[in-house]
Amino acid sequence: MKRIAIFASGNGSNAEGIVNYFKKRKTAEVAIILSNNPKAYVLERARDLGVRHITFNRADFYQSGVVLSVLKKEAIDFIVLAGFLWLVPEQLVNAYPNKILNIHPALLPKYGGKGMYGAKVHEAVKSRGEPESGITIHLVNKNYDEGDIVFQATCPVHADDTPEDIAQKVHELEYQHYPRVIDKVINK
Ligand code: GRF
C-alpha cells in the first residue's frame, strides 16, 4: 500500500477528509502529516485521527534536508499538499517527480501564484465579477501553482455571493473530489 505524507499549514479540513477516505478505502494510507506552523489546527486533527504529525521550520525545509530525510525514513511514496503555504523546494520536487499534488481553490491559471491563497483568492474572484470559480488539482513543480493540471471542477458564482459564500462552495468541491483524485493518481 502506498504511503502518503500530507503537508498543511492551517485548519486541515481537507487533510482530515483525505485521512478518513483512505482509512475507509485502504487503497493507500496517510502515514504522516507535516506542518510548518506549530499552531496549525491540522496538528490537533492529526492527534485525534491517530496520525503521526511533526512540525518543521524553514531551515529544516530549505537547507538541512531534515524534511526530506523524514519522508525517506517514513518510506513515503506520495506527497499531498492541502492548504500548505510554503513553496516546495526544488530538491523535494526532484525527489518526488510527478508525485506531489496540490489543490488550489480557484480555476488556474487564473487567481494563482505567490500570495494568492485562502480568502484572497475568493475576494479576487468576487471583485472581478467572475461567473464561476472552482478547484484545480495539479502536480507540483518548482513554481507556485504552475504544474500540470490533473483535474478541475467548477461552481457558479452569483452576483450576491460573498467571498465567504464562494469559499464554502469551493470547500465542498474540495471535499468531494480531492481524496478521490489523489487515489486515482496514486493507483494509476
Ligand atoms: C483550501 O481551500 C485549499 O484549497 C487551499 O487552502 C484551503 C485549506 O483548507 N489551498 P483546509 O486547511 O484544508 O481546511
Side-chain angles (χ1 to χ4, degrees):
M1 194 162 34
K2 295 272 172 64
R3 289 169 66 76
I4 301 170
I6 298 180
F7 283 72
S9 301
N11 180 23
S13 62
N14 278 283
E16 179 165 346
I18 295 162
V19 169
N20 285 331
Y21 174 97
F22 287 107
K23 276 188 178 175
K24 201 162 128 198
R25 301 292 171 104
K26 301 192 185 347
T27 47
E29 104 180 88
V30 177
I32 187 168
I33 295 177
L34 301 97
S35 184
N36 60 305
N37 174 7
K39 295 199 186 117
Y41 187 60
V42 71
L43 296 168
E44 265 179 59
R45 292 186 194 263
R47 198 171 310 131
D48 293 345
L49 290 161
V51 175
R52 187 170 176 228
H53 49 284
I54 64 159
T55 60
F56 59 87
N57 62 28
R58 283 197 169 269
D60 298 332
F61 200 44
Y62 293 108
Q63 285 152 31
S64 65
V66 164
V67 170
L68 186 55
S69 53
V70 168
L71 298 173
K72 293 291 169 197
K73 210 155 132 196
E74 284 284 331
I76 296 305
D77 303 291
F78 202 89
I79 296 172
V80 169
L81 310 184
F84 180 62
L85 299 182
W86 286 3
L87 186 66
V88 177
E90 207 169 345
Q91 187 197 17
L92 196 53
V93 174
N94 293 339
Y96 286 90
N98 295 326
K99 287 180 180 160
I100 310 178
L101 273 185
N102 181 42
I103 190 160
H104 187 78
L107 298 171
L108 291 175
K110 285 187 183 175
Y111 307 107
K114 189 168 164 61
M116 275 307 241
Y117 62 89
K120 287 182 199 164
V121 175
H122 308 302
E123 279 156 16
V125 167
K126 168 79 192 171
S127 70
R128 287 284 197 87
E130 293 284 356
E132 61 175 19
S133 190
I135 58 168
T136 303
I137 297 171
H138 64 93
L139 292 165
V140 170
N141 66 15
K142 62 183 172 49
N143 301 319
Y144 274 114
D145 301 328
E146 284 184 12
D148 289 351
I149 293 174
V150 173
F151 177 85
Q152 289 186 306
T154 62
C155 58
V157 174
H158 304 300
D160 59 353
D161 278 348
T162 63
E164 293 73 29
D165 295 329
I166 303 170
Q168 195 183 331
K169 291 185 205 181
V170 166
H171 262 305
E172 268 154 35
L173 290 176
E174 293 179 334
Y175 305 149
Q176 189 186 343
H177 296 290
Y178 202 18
R180 184 181 66 72
V181 172
I182 293 164
D183 197 356
K184 212 168 149 190
V185 171
I186 289 182
N187 291 307
K188 77 171 177 229

